[in-house]
Amino acid sequence: MQQKISALFKEKFQGEPSLYSSPGRVNLIGDHTDYNDGFVLPAAIDKAIYAAIKPNGMDGTVNLYSVDYDASVTFALDGPKPEQMWACFVYGVANEISRMGVRVGGFDAVFGGDVPLGAGLSSSAALESVFGFALNEEFGGSLDRRQLARAGQLTEHNYIGVMCGIMDQFASLFGKEDTLIKLDCRSLEFEPVPFNTKGYRVVLVDSMVKHSLASSEYNVRRRQCEEGVAVVARHEPGVKTLRDVTHEMLDKYGSEMDPVSLKRCRFVIDENKRVSDGCEALKKGDIETFGRNMNGSHTGLSREYEVSCPELDFIAGFAHQFDGVIGARMMGGGFGGCVIHFIKEEAHDSYLAALKPAFKEKYGVEPRVIDVVIGDGSRRLV
Ligand code: ADP
Ligand code: MG
């Protein structure tokens, strides 16, 4: 992939480019916690977007070629937003880092990668991060990785219209081999947690269901959490978000809440605890407890937060029964997407050989399998 991108650059443009990469990400435990000021546990993966890039000396003129769409676009950095969504990510992040003080000029770039699009591995964060990182280097900027993550998040907000948190960009920029990132979404402090996967595999199984309910239900869940917080805050002035709320408070004031809100709030408190307990277990080398926290996350997301679907429940249920699967849970916003598995190496093939026909028999399609390895974050390759 890297060679192909460099070769294509030389075919389409002048000169020797620099080559950069930024990965997609997984999240081992901690969903729907980010917007509640809680904890998440993402990691960068071995699937990435690669960009060959060179300043072209032309004032603000950008020439892009997307390998995966086999399409070229030219735009001015201070001109209107390009029509193609994939080009908007580049236009957006270049403008965001300019606003942060980097003197971004014109450039030529060829890019492409192997992060599956729209599968929940955050190909969009990989794309923002690779261009943010590369342009900061190429134009002598002094932004750190934290600022680049923020620039990627603002690109989603201001140019794509996706009001995401910062986890995906953070993982893409800060990822390290054999390491999970325990990110505190309130302070944006993070702790690297060693995750030595020797003898184990991380595997995603795609339910093949598209998240059609995800955005409307996402807003409903956010509101239910806020309603719960508002009730507690009437009694406990220090409470600002669910991060400040305990089960004891819910025992005391829960009767004043809508029962559904109460259930959602309990889930978020438990999910934060599963992230922390899972990390403590990993530090002690207690893989089994880590896996149980992954499983608990799925059960909570399905029964208490109610963001799963039959296909995801089928895969996770199958996994939870299967010897050698350490942990499995739906990953992401819900209503479709993938189940992430942490699985013993020796069980990998037999698990998939049993799951695939069983899923196909029930749902009529073969689920897509995506094997990943925890890898490094954004970097310059050449
Ligand atoms: P994901 O969950 O993978 O982040 P999104 O819908 O947020 O899914 O982002 C996918 C979009 O990101 C694509 O529609 C495209 O515009 C852009 N994108 C991602 N990967 C690539 C790529 N390899 N080449 C060009 N554009 C890409
Ligand atoms: Mg995305």
PDB file of all heavy atoms in Angstrom, residues 203 205 291 294-295 298 311-330 339-344 347 351-352 354-355 358-359:
ATOM      1  N   VAL A 203     -10.469  -9.624  17.231  1.00  0.00           N
ATOM      2  CA  VAL A 203     -11.211  -9.888  15.996  1.00  0.00           C
ATOM      3  C   VAL A 203     -12.543  -9.146  16.036  1.00  0.00           C
ATOM      4  O   VAL A 203     -13.244  -9.182  17.046  1.00  0.00           O
ATOM      5  CB  VAL A 203     -11.535 -11.393  15.848  1.00  0.00           C
ATOM      6  CG1 VAL A 203     -12.159 -11.666  14.485  1.00  0.00           C
ATOM      7  CG2 VAL A 203     -10.313 -12.238  16.057  1.00  0.00           C
ATOM      8  N   VAL A 205     -16.276  -8.894  14.267  1.00  0.00           N
ATOM      9  CA  VAL A 205     -17.228  -9.554  13.383  1.00  0.00           C
ATOM     10  C   VAL A 205     -18.341  -8.549  13.107  1.00  0.00           C
ATOM     11  O   VAL A 205     -18.976  -8.040  14.033  1.00  0.00           O
ATOM     12  CB  VAL A 205     -17.791 -10.848  14.006  1.00  0.00           C
ATOM     13  CG1 VAL A 205     -18.838 -11.459  13.085  1.00  0.00           C
ATOM     14  CG2 VAL A 205     -16.661 -11.847  14.274  1.00  0.00           C
ATOM     15  N   GLY A 291     -11.860  -9.865  30.367  1.00  0.00           N
ATOM     16  CA  GLY A 291     -12.868 -10.385  29.438  1.00  0.00           C
ATOM     17  C   GLY A 291     -14.272 -10.323  30.014  1.00  0.00           C
ATOM     18  O   GLY A 291     -15.229  -9.979  29.306  1.00  0.00           O
ATOM     19  N   MET A 294     -15.594  -6.983  29.500  1.00  0.00           N
ATOM     20  CA  MET A 294     -16.066  -6.789  28.113  1.00  0.00           C
ATOM     21  C   MET A 294     -17.469  -7.386  27.958  1.00  0.00           C
ATOM     22  O   MET A 294     -18.368  -6.758  27.395  1.00  0.00           O
ATOM     23  CB  MET A 294     -15.134  -7.475  27.116  1.00  0.00           C
ATOM     24  CG  MET A 294     -13.802  -6.792  26.898  1.00  0.00           C
ATOM     25  SD  MET A 294     -12.790  -7.703  25.686  1.00  0.00           S
ATOM     26  CE  MET A 294     -13.586  -7.259  24.128  1.00  0.00           C
ATOM     27  N   ASN A 295     -17.645  -8.603  28.461  1.00  0.00           N
ATOM     28  CA  ASN A 295     -18.956  -9.260  28.339  1.00  0.00           C
ATOM     29  C   ASN A 295     -20.038  -8.453  29.052  1.00  0.00           C
ATOM     30  O   ASN A 295     -21.148  -8.277  28.537  1.00  0.00           O
ATOM     31  CB  ASN A 295     -18.912 -10.670  28.933  1.00  0.00           C
ATOM     32  CG  ASN A 295     -18.013 -11.607  28.132  1.00  0.00           C
ATOM     33  OD1 ASN A 295     -17.626 -11.290  27.005  1.00  0.00           O
ATOM     34  ND2 ASN A 295     -17.680 -12.750  28.711  1.00  0.00           N
ATOM     35  N   HIS A 298     -21.287  -5.624  27.036  1.00  0.00           N
ATOM     36  CA  HIS A 298     -22.292  -5.982  26.032  1.00  0.00           C
ATOM     37  C   HIS A 298     -23.674  -6.140  26.657  1.00  0.00           C
ATOM     38  O   HIS A 298     -24.670  -5.600  26.156  1.00  0.00           O
ATOM     39  CB  HIS A 298     -21.940  -7.261  25.260  1.00  0.00           C
ATOM     40  CG  HIS A 298     -22.964  -7.523  24.198  1.00  0.00           C
ATOM     41  ND1 HIS A 298     -22.913  -6.932  22.965  1.00  0.00           N
ATOM     42  CD2 HIS A 298     -24.150  -8.192  24.250  1.00  0.00           C
ATOM     43  CE1 HIS A 298     -24.008  -7.244  22.284  1.00  0.00           C
ATOM     44  NE2 HIS A 298     -24.778  -8.020  23.038  1.00  0.00           N
ATOM     45  N   GLU A 311     -28.927  -9.122  15.728  1.00  0.00           N
ATOM     46  CA  GLU A 311     -27.715  -9.669  15.103  1.00  0.00           C
ATOM     47  C   GLU A 311     -26.500  -9.521  16.024  1.00  0.00           C
ATOM     48  O   GLU A 311     -25.686 -10.441  16.153  1.00  0.00           O
ATOM     49  CB  GLU A 311     -27.442  -8.965  13.760  1.00  0.00           C
ATOM     50  CG  GLU A 311     -28.468  -9.267  12.668  1.00  0.00           C
ATOM     51  CD  GLU A 311     -29.728  -8.390  12.741  1.00  0.00           C
ATOM     52  OE1 GLU A 311     -29.915  -7.658  13.750  1.00  0.00           O
ATOM     53  OE2 GLU A 311     -30.516  -8.447  11.779  1.00  0.00           O
ATOM     54  N   LEU A 312     -26.355  -8.330  16.631  1.00  0.00           N
ATOM     55  CA  LEU A 312     -25.227  -8.127  17.560  1.00  0.00           C
ATOM     56  C   LEU A 312     -25.364  -9.049  18.773  1.00  0.00           C
ATOM     57  O   LEU A 312     -24.380  -9.635  19.235  1.00  0.00           O
ATOM     58  CB  LEU A 312     -25.189  -6.663  18.033  1.00  0.00           C
ATOM     59  CG  LEU A 312     -24.748  -5.619  17.012  1.00  0.00           C
ATOM     60  CD1 LEU A 312     -25.038  -4.211  17.534  1.00  0.00           C
ATOM     61  CD2 LEU A 312     -23.261  -5.754  16.688  1.00  0.00           C
ATOM     62  N   ASP A 313     -26.590  -9.176  19.281  1.00  0.00           N
ATOM     63  CA  ASP A 313     -26.811 -10.046  20.437  1.00  0.00           C
ATOM     64  C   ASP A 313     -26.529 -11.498  20.090  1.00  0.00           C
ATOM     65  O   ASP A 313     -26.021 -12.259  20.926  1.00  0.00           O
ATOM     66  CB  ASP A 313     -28.254  -9.916  20.946  1.00  0.00           C
ATOM     67  CG  ASP A 313     -28.475  -8.603  21.701  1.00  0.00           C
ATOM     68  OD1 ASP A 313     -27.479  -7.979  22.117  1.00  0.00           O
ATOM     69  OD2 ASP A 313     -29.643  -8.209  21.868  1.00  0.00           O
ATOM     70  N   PHE A 314     -26.858 -11.878  18.868  1.00  0.00           N
ATOM     71  CA  PHE A 314     -26.597 -13.261  18.451  1.00  0.00           C
ATOM     72  C   PHE A 314     -25.090 -13.541  18.469  1.00  0.00           C
ATOM     73  O   PHE A 314     -24.634 -14.534  19.024  1.00  0.00           O
ATOM     74  CB  PHE A 314     -27.158 -13.493  17.042  1.00  0.00           C
ATOM     75  CG  PHE A 314     -26.932 -14.893  16.539  1.00  0.00           C
ATOM     76  CD1 PHE A 314     -27.844 -15.896  16.841  1.00  0.00           C
ATOM     77  CD2 PHE A 314     -25.805 -15.213  15.787  1.00  0.00           C
ATOM     78  CE1 PHE A 314     -27.637 -17.205  16.391  1.00  0.00           C
ATOM     79  CE2 PHE A 314     -25.583 -16.514  15.333  1.00  0.00           C
ATOM     80  CZ  PHE A 314     -26.508 -17.511  15.637  1.00  0.00           C
ATOM     81  N   ILE A 315     -24.324 -12.635  17.887  1.00  0.00           N
ATOM     82  CA  ILE A 315     -22.863 -12.848  17.820  1.00  0.00           C
ATOM     83  C   ILE A 315     -22.269 -12.836  19.229  1.00  0.00           C
ATOM     84  O   ILE A 315     -21.507 -13.731  19.607  1.00  0.00           O
ATOM     85  CB  ILE A 315     -22.187 -11.767  16.938  1.00  0.00           C
ATOM     86  CG1 ILE A 315     -22.709 -11.848  15.506  1.00  0.00           C
ATOM     87  CG2 ILE A 315     -20.661 -11.937  16.966  1.00  0.00           C
ATOM     88  CD1 ILE A 315     -22.350 -10.646  14.641  1.00  0.00           C
ATOM     89  N   ALA A 316     -22.641 -11.837  20.019  1.00  0.00           N
ATOM     90  CA  ALA A 316     -22.067 -11.752  21.375  1.00  0.00           C
ATOM     91  C   ALA A 316     -22.484 -12.956  22.210  1.00  0.00           C
ATOM     92  O   ALA A 316     -21.668 -13.534  22.939  1.00  0.00           O
ATOM     93  CB  ALA A 316     -22.498 -10.450  22.048  1.00  0.00           C
ATOM     94  N   GLY A 317     -23.739 -13.373  22.081  1.00  0.00           N
ATOM     95  CA  GLY A 317     -24.216 -14.530  22.835  1.00  0.00           C
ATOM     96  C   GLY A 317     -23.453 -15.791  22.446  1.00  0.00           C
ATOM     97  O   GLY A 317     -23.055 -16.595  23.302  1.00  0.00           O
ATOM     98  N   PHE A 318     -23.226 -15.957  21.169  1.00  0.00           N
ATOM     99  CA  PHE A 318     -22.466 -17.095  20.657  1.00  0.00           C
ATOM    100  C   PHE A 318     -21.056 -17.073  21.246  1.00  0.00           C
ATOM    101  O   PHE A 318     -20.533 -18.081  21.711  1.00  0.00           O
ATOM    102  CB  PHE A 318     -22.399 -16.983  19.126  1.00  0.00           C
ATOM    103  CG  PHE A 318     -22.123 -18.271  18.413  1.00  0.00           C
ATOM    104  CD1 PHE A 318     -23.179 -19.070  17.977  1.00  0.00           C
ATOM    105  CD2 PHE A 318     -20.818 -18.688  18.154  1.00  0.00           C
ATOM    106  CE1 PHE A 318     -22.931 -20.261  17.307  1.00  0.00           C
ATOM    107  CE2 PHE A 318     -20.564 -19.868  17.495  1.00  0.00           C
ATOM    108  CZ  PHE A 318     -21.624 -20.659  17.063  1.00  0.00           C
ATOM    109  N   ALA A 319     -20.468 -15.889  21.242  1.00  0.00           N
ATOM    110  CA  ALA A 319     -19.100 -15.729  21.756  1.00  0.00           C
ATOM    111  C   ALA A 319     -19.021 -16.028  23.253  1.00  0.00           C
ATOM    112  O   ALA A 319     -18.098 -16.688  23.722  1.00  0.00           O
ATOM    113  CB  ALA A 319     -18.612 -14.311  21.477  1.00  0.00           C
ATOM    114  N   HIS A 320     -20.012 -15.524  23.990  1.00  0.00           N
ATOM    115  CA  HIS A 320     -19.965 -15.692  25.451  1.00  0.00           C
ATOM    116  C   HIS A 320     -20.050 -17.165  25.841  1.00  0.00           C
ATOM    117  O   HIS A 320     -19.580 -17.560  26.906  1.00  0.00           O
ATOM    118  CB  HIS A 320     -21.103 -14.899  26.117  1.00  0.00           C
ATOM    119  CG  HIS A 320     -20.953 -13.408  25.963  1.00  0.00           C
ATOM    120  ND1 HIS A 320     -21.947 -12.520  26.320  1.00  0.00           N
ATOM    121  CD2 HIS A 320     -19.928 -12.645  25.494  1.00  0.00           C
ATOM    122  CE1 HIS A 320     -21.544 -11.273  26.074  1.00  0.00           C
ATOM    123  NE2 HIS A 320     -20.323 -11.329  25.561  1.00  0.00           N
ATOM    124  N   GLN A 321     -20.644 -17.992  24.989  1.00  0.00           N
ATOM    125  CA  GLN A 321     -20.762 -19.430  25.273  1.00  0.00           C
ATOM    126  C   GLN A 321     -19.536 -20.208  24.821  1.00  0.00           C
ATOM    127  O   GLN A 321     -19.418 -21.387  25.118  1.00  0.00           O
ATOM    128  CB  GLN A 321     -21.948 -20.033  24.484  1.00  0.00           C
ATOM    129  CG  GLN A 321     -23.293 -19.407  24.757  1.00  0.00           C
ATOM    130  CD  GLN A 321     -23.751 -19.670  26.169  1.00  0.00           C
ATOM    131  OE1 GLN A 321     -23.536 -20.758  26.699  1.00  0.00           O
ATOM    132  NE2 GLN A 321     -24.331 -18.663  26.802  1.00  0.00           N
ATOM    133  N   PHE A 322     -18.691 -19.606  24.012  1.00  0.00           N
ATOM    134  CA  PHE A 322     -17.664 -20.378  23.301  1.00  0.00           C
ATOM    135  C   PHE A 322     -16.365 -20.413  24.108  1.00  0.00           C
ATOM    136  O   PHE A 322     -15.838 -19.367  24.491  1.00  0.00           O
ATOM    137  CB  PHE A 322     -17.408 -19.756  21.925  1.00  0.00           C
ATOM    138  CG  PHE A 322     -16.788 -20.700  20.942  1.00  0.00           C
ATOM    139  CD1 PHE A 322     -17.587 -21.489  20.116  1.00  0.00           C
ATOM    140  CD2 PHE A 322     -15.405 -20.824  20.847  1.00  0.00           C
ATOM    141  CE1 PHE A 322     -17.019 -22.366  19.208  1.00  0.00           C
ATOM    142  CE2 PHE A 322     -14.831 -21.703  19.941  1.00  0.00           C
ATOM    143  CZ  PHE A 322     -15.639 -22.472  19.117  1.00  0.00           C
ATOM    144  N   ASP A 323     -15.879 -21.605  24.337  1.00  0.00           N
ATOM    145  CA  ASP A 323     -14.624 -21.793  25.070  1.00  0.00           C
ATOM    146  C   ASP A 323     -13.466 -21.140  24.320  1.00  0.00           C
ATOM    147  O   ASP A 323     -13.306 -21.377  23.130  1.00  0.00           O
ATOM    148  CB  ASP A 323     -14.335 -23.306  25.146  1.00  0.00           C
ATOM    149  CG  ASP A 323     -14.198 -23.734  26.583  1.00  0.00           C
ATOM    150  OD1 ASP A 323     -14.650 -22.974  27.457  1.00  0.00           O
ATOM    151  OD2 ASP A 323     -13.634 -24.822  26.804  1.00  0.00           O
ATOM    152  N   GLY A 324     -12.690 -20.339  24.998  1.00  0.00           N
ATOM    153  CA  GLY A 324     -11.543 -19.723  24.324  1.00  0.00           C
ATOM    154  C   GLY A 324     -11.790 -18.281  23.919  1.00  0.00           C
ATOM    155  O   GLY A 324     -10.854 -17.559  23.596  1.00  0.00           O
ATOM    156  N   VAL A 325     -13.074 -17.842  23.912  1.00  0.00           N
ATOM    157  CA  VAL A 325     -13.350 -16.413  23.714  1.00  0.00           C
ATOM    158  C   VAL A 325     -13.275 -15.770  25.103  1.00  0.00           C
ATOM    159  O   VAL A 325     -14.043 -16.100  25.995  1.00  0.00           O
ATOM    160  CB  VAL A 325     -14.735 -16.159  23.077  1.00  0.00           C
ATOM    161  CG1 VAL A 325     -14.994 -14.660  22.959  1.00  0.00           C
ATOM    162  CG2 VAL A 325     -14.823 -16.824  21.706  1.00  0.00           C
ATOM    163  N   ILE A 326     -12.327 -14.865  25.269  1.00  0.00           N
ATOM    164  CA  ILE A 326     -12.102 -14.238  26.590  1.00  0.00           C
ATOM    165  C   ILE A 326     -13.184 -13.202  26.865  1.00  0.00           C
ATOM    166  O   ILE A 326     -13.693 -13.096  27.976  1.00  0.00           O
ATOM    167  CB  ILE A 326     -10.712 -13.556  26.628  1.00  0.00           C
ATOM    168  CG1 ILE A 326      -9.603 -14.551  26.275  1.00  0.00           C
ATOM    169  CG2 ILE A 326     -10.450 -12.880  27.965  1.00  0.00           C
ATOM    170  CD1 ILE A 326      -9.412 -15.648  27.283  1.00  0.00           C
ATOM    171  N   GLY A 327     -13.506 -12.402  25.853  1.00  0.00           N
ATOM    172  CA  GLY A 327     -14.536 -11.383  26.019  1.00  0.00           C
ATOM    173  C   GLY A 327     -15.053 -10.948  24.656  1.00  0.00           C
ATOM    174  O   GLY A 327     -14.330 -11.028  23.658  1.00  0.00           O
ATOM    175  N   ALA A 328     -16.299 -10.497  24.619  1.00  0.00           N
ATOM    176  CA  ALA A 328     -16.881 -10.010  23.353  1.00  0.00           C
ATOM    177  C   ALA A 328     -17.991  -9.026  23.670  1.00  0.00           C
ATOM    178  O   ALA A 328     -18.761  -9.231  24.602  1.00  0.00           O
ATOM    179  CB  ALA A 328     -17.439 -11.175  22.538  1.00  0.00           C
ATOM    180  N   ARG A 329     -18.059  -7.981  22.866  1.00  0.00           N
ATOM    181  CA  ARG A 329     -19.117  -6.972  23.063  1.00  0.00           C
ATOM    182  C   ARG A 329     -19.321  -6.176  21.783  1.00  0.00           C
ATOM    183  O   ARG A 329     -18.401  -6.048  20.967  1.00  0.00           O
ATOM    184  CB  ARG A 329     -18.763  -6.018  24.197  1.00  0.00           C
ATOM    185  CG  ARG A 329     -17.502  -5.220  23.952  1.00  0.00           C
ATOM    186  CD  ARG A 329     -17.301  -4.158  25.021  1.00  0.00           C
ATOM    187  NE  ARG A 329     -16.588  -3.035  24.423  1.00  0.00           N
ATOM    188  CZ  ARG A 329     -17.173  -1.911  24.007  1.00  0.00           C
ATOM    189  NH1 ARG A 329     -18.462  -1.716  24.135  1.00  0.00           N
ATOM    190  NH2 ARG A 329     -16.452  -0.956  23.449  1.00  0.00           N
ATOM    191  N   MET A 330     -20.536  -5.668  21.640  1.00  0.00           N
ATOM    192  CA  MET A 330     -20.781  -4.745  20.530  1.00  0.00           C
ATOM    193  C   MET A 330     -19.910  -3.508  20.751  1.00  0.00           C
ATOM    194  O   MET A 330     -19.594  -3.155  21.888  1.00  0.00           O
ATOM    195  CB  MET A 330     -22.249  -4.352  20.464  1.00  0.00           C
ATOM    196  CG  MET A 330     -22.788  -3.774  21.754  1.00  0.00           C
ATOM    197  SD  MET A 330     -24.384  -2.968  21.558  1.00  0.00           S
ATOM    198  CE  MET A 330     -23.889  -1.455  20.776  1.00  0.00           C
ATOM    199  N   VAL A 339     -19.039  -6.576  16.463  1.00  0.00           N
ATOM    200  CA  VAL A 339     -18.752  -7.099  17.800  1.00  0.00           C
ATOM    201  C   VAL A 339     -17.237  -7.282  17.880  1.00  0.00           C
ATOM    202  O   VAL A 339     -16.631  -7.895  16.992  1.00  0.00           O
ATOM    203  CB  VAL A 339     -19.460  -8.449  18.039  1.00  0.00           C
ATOM    204  CG1 VAL A 339     -19.001  -9.086  19.349  1.00  0.00           C
ATOM    205  CG2 VAL A 339     -20.973  -8.256  18.045  1.00  0.00           C
ATOM    206  N   ILE A 340     -16.630  -6.726  18.915  1.00  0.00           N
ATOM    207  CA  ILE A 340     -15.191  -6.899  19.107  1.00  0.00           C
ATOM    208  C   ILE A 340     -14.969  -8.080  20.047  1.00  0.00           C
ATOM    209  O   ILE A 340     -15.653  -8.207  21.066  1.00  0.00           O
ATOM    210  CB  ILE A 340     -14.509  -5.608  19.618  1.00  0.00           C
ATOM    211  CG1 ILE A 340     -13.007  -5.843  19.784  1.00  0.00           C
ATOM    212  CG2 ILE A 340     -15.116  -5.072  20.910  1.00  0.00           C
ATOM    213  CD1 ILE A 340     -12.203  -4.573  20.013  1.00  0.00           C
ATOM    214  N   HIS A 341     -14.038  -8.948  19.660  1.00  0.00           N
ATOM    215  CA  HIS A 341     -13.724 -10.147  20.442  1.00  0.00           C
ATOM    216  C   HIS A 341     -12.267 -10.116  20.873  1.00  0.00           C
ATOM    217  O   HIS A 341     -11.392  -9.724  20.093  1.00  0.00           O
ATOM    218  CB  HIS A 341     -13.849 -11.408  19.583  1.00  0.00           C
ATOM    219  CG  HIS A 341     -15.196 -11.670  19.015  1.00  0.00           C
ATOM    220  ND1 HIS A 341     -15.761 -10.900  18.039  1.00  0.00           N
ATOM    221  CD2 HIS A 341     -16.086 -12.662  19.281  1.00  0.00           C
ATOM    222  CE1 HIS A 341     -16.955 -11.408  17.723  1.00  0.00           C
ATOM    223  NE2 HIS A 341     -17.171 -12.476  18.464  1.00  0.00           N
ATOM    224  N   PHE A 342     -12.042 -10.564  22.076  1.00  0.00           N
ATOM    225  CA  PHE A 342     -10.679 -10.843  22.543  1.00  0.00           C
ATOM    226  C   PHE A 342     -10.668 -12.348  22.765  1.00  0.00           C
ATOM    227  O   PHE A 342     -11.449 -12.878  23.554  1.00  0.00           O
ATOM    228  CB  PHE A 342     -10.418 -10.057  23.826  1.00  0.00           C
ATOM    229  CG  PHE A 342      -9.012 -10.115  24.309  1.00  0.00           C
ATOM    230  CD1 PHE A 342      -7.939  -9.999  23.422  1.00  0.00           C
ATOM    231  CD2 PHE A 342      -8.728 -10.275  25.654  1.00  0.00           C
ATOM    232  CE1 PHE A 342      -6.633 -10.046  23.872  1.00  0.00           C
ATOM    233  CE2 PHE A 342      -7.429 -10.322  26.111  1.00  0.00           C
ATOM    234  CZ  PHE A 342      -6.382 -10.206  25.212  1.00  0.00           C
ATOM    235  N   ILE A 343      -9.782 -13.012  22.056  1.00  0.00           N
ATOM    236  CA  ILE A 343      -9.962 -14.454  21.890  1.00  0.00           C
ATOM    237  C   ILE A 343      -8.610 -15.160  21.935  1.00  0.00           C
ATOM    238  O   ILE A 343      -7.605 -14.588  21.499  1.00  0.00           O
ATOM    239  CB  ILE A 343     -10.708 -14.672  20.537  1.00  0.00           C
ATOM    240  CG1 ILE A 343     -11.144 -16.097  20.300  1.00  0.00           C
ATOM    241  CG2 ILE A 343      -9.922 -14.227  19.370  1.00  0.00           C
ATOM    242  CD1 ILE A 343     -12.147 -16.192  19.130  1.00  0.00           C
ATOM    243  N   LYS A 344      -8.586 -16.359  22.484  1.00  0.00           N
ATOM    244  CA  LYS A 344      -7.332 -17.120  22.503  1.00  0.00           C
ATOM    245  C   LYS A 344      -6.962 -17.496  21.079  1.00  0.00           C
ATOM    246  O   LYS A 344      -7.829 -17.921  20.300  1.00  0.00           O
ATOM    247  CB  LYS A 344      -7.490 -18.394  23.331  1.00  0.00           C
ATOM    248  CG  LYS A 344      -7.411 -18.147  24.818  1.00  0.00           C
ATOM    249  CD  LYS A 344      -7.377 -19.458  25.582  1.00  0.00           C
ATOM    250  CE  LYS A 344      -7.309 -19.167  27.060  1.00  0.00           C
ATOM    251  NZ  LYS A 344      -7.954 -20.209  27.872  1.00  0.00           N
ATOM    252  N   ALA A 347      -8.305 -20.635  19.663  1.00  0.00           N
ATOM    253  CA  ALA A 347      -9.756 -20.753  19.458  1.00  0.00           C
ATOM    254  C   ALA A 347     -10.241 -19.941  18.260  1.00  0.00           C
ATOM    255  O   ALA A 347     -11.391 -20.078  17.834  1.00  0.00           O
ATOM    256  CB  ALA A 347     -10.496 -20.294  20.709  1.00  0.00           C
ATOM    257  N   TYR A 351     -13.711 -20.906  16.410  1.00  0.00           N
ATOM    258  CA  TYR A 351     -14.829 -20.010  16.739  1.00  0.00           C
ATOM    259  C   TYR A 351     -15.487 -19.480  15.466  1.00  0.00           C
ATOM    260  O   TYR A 351     -16.704 -19.556  15.294  1.00  0.00           O
ATOM    261  CB  TYR A 351     -14.348 -18.847  17.622  1.00  0.00           C
ATOM    262  CG  TYR A 351     -15.403 -17.784  17.792  1.00  0.00           C
ATOM    263  CD1 TYR A 351     -16.553 -18.039  18.520  1.00  0.00           C
ATOM    264  CD2 TYR A 351     -15.266 -16.532  17.182  1.00  0.00           C
ATOM    265  CE1 TYR A 351     -17.550 -17.081  18.649  1.00  0.00           C
ATOM    266  CE2 TYR A 351     -16.252 -15.565  17.301  1.00  0.00           C
ATOM    267  CZ  TYR A 351     -17.398 -15.842  18.037  1.00  0.00           C
ATOM    268  OH  TYR A 351     -18.381 -14.895  18.148  1.00  0.00           O
ATOM    269  N   LEU A 352     -14.649 -18.949  14.567  1.00  0.00           N
ATOM    270  CA  LEU A 352     -15.212 -18.358  13.350  1.00  0.00           C
ATOM    271  C   LEU A 352     -15.862 -19.417  12.467  1.00  0.00           C
ATOM    272  O   LEU A 352     -16.906 -19.166  11.845  1.00  0.00           O
ATOM    273  CB  LEU A 352     -14.131 -17.590  12.587  1.00  0.00           C
ATOM    274  CG  LEU A 352     -13.621 -16.341  13.320  1.00  0.00           C
ATOM    275  CD1 LEU A 352     -12.435 -15.739  12.589  1.00  0.00           C
ATOM    276  CD2 LEU A 352     -14.734 -15.298  13.479  1.00  0.00           C
ATOM    277  N   ALA A 354     -17.434 -21.964  13.468  1.00  0.00           N
ATOM    278  CA  ALA A 354     -18.749 -22.300  14.033  1.00  0.00           C
ATOM    279  C   ALA A 354     -19.729 -21.130  13.885  1.00  0.00           C
ATOM    280  O   ALA A 354     -20.907 -21.313  13.556  1.00  0.00           O
ATOM    281  CB  ALA A 354     -18.592 -22.662  15.512  1.00  0.00           C
ATOM    282  N   LEU A 355     -19.237 -19.908  14.123  1.00  0.00           N
ATOM    283  CA  LEU A 355     -20.126 -18.742  14.113  1.00  0.00           C
ATOM    284  C   LEU A 355     -20.681 -18.434  12.715  1.00  0.00           C
ATOM    285  O   LEU A 355     -21.878 -18.191  12.558  1.00  0.00           O
ATOM    286  CB  LEU A 355     -19.369 -17.514  14.642  1.00  0.00           C
ATOM    287  CG  LEU A 355     -20.135 -16.197  14.480  1.00  0.00           C
ATOM    288  CD1 LEU A 355     -21.332 -16.145  15.428  1.00  0.00           C
ATOM    289  CD2 LEU A 355     -19.230 -14.989  14.706  1.00  0.00           C
ATOM    290  N   ALA A 358     -23.632 -20.466  11.425  1.00  0.00           N
ATOM    291  CA  ALA A 358     -24.788 -20.295  12.321  1.00  0.00           C
ATOM    292  C   ALA A 358     -25.437 -18.933  12.073  1.00  0.00           C
ATOM    293  O   ALA A 358     -26.663 -18.808  12.003  1.00  0.00           O
ATOM    294  CB  ALA A 358     -24.345 -20.424  13.778  1.00  0.00           C
ATOM    295  N   PHE A 359     -24.607 -17.902  11.899  1.00  0.00           N
ATOM    296  CA  PHE A 359     -25.131 -16.558  11.632  1.00  0.00           C
ATOM    297  C   PHE A 359     -25.828 -16.526  10.270  1.00  0.00           C
ATOM    298  O   PHE A 359     -26.915 -15.976  10.124  1.00  0.00           O
ATOM    299  CB  PHE A 359     -23.990 -15.537  11.678  1.00  0.00           C
ATOM    300  CG  PHE A 359     -24.452 -14.105  11.582  1.00  0.00           C
ATOM    301  CD1 PHE A 359     -24.737 -13.372  12.725  1.00  0.00           C
ATOM    302  CD2 PHE A 359     -24.607 -13.483  10.348  1.00  0.00           C
ATOM    303  CE1 PHE A 359     -25.170 -12.047  12.651  1.00  0.00           C
ATOM    304  CE2 PHE A 359     -25.043 -12.162  10.255  1.00  0.00           C
ATOM    305  CZ  PHE A 359     -25.320 -11.442  11.410  1.00  0.00           C
TER     306      PHE A 359
END
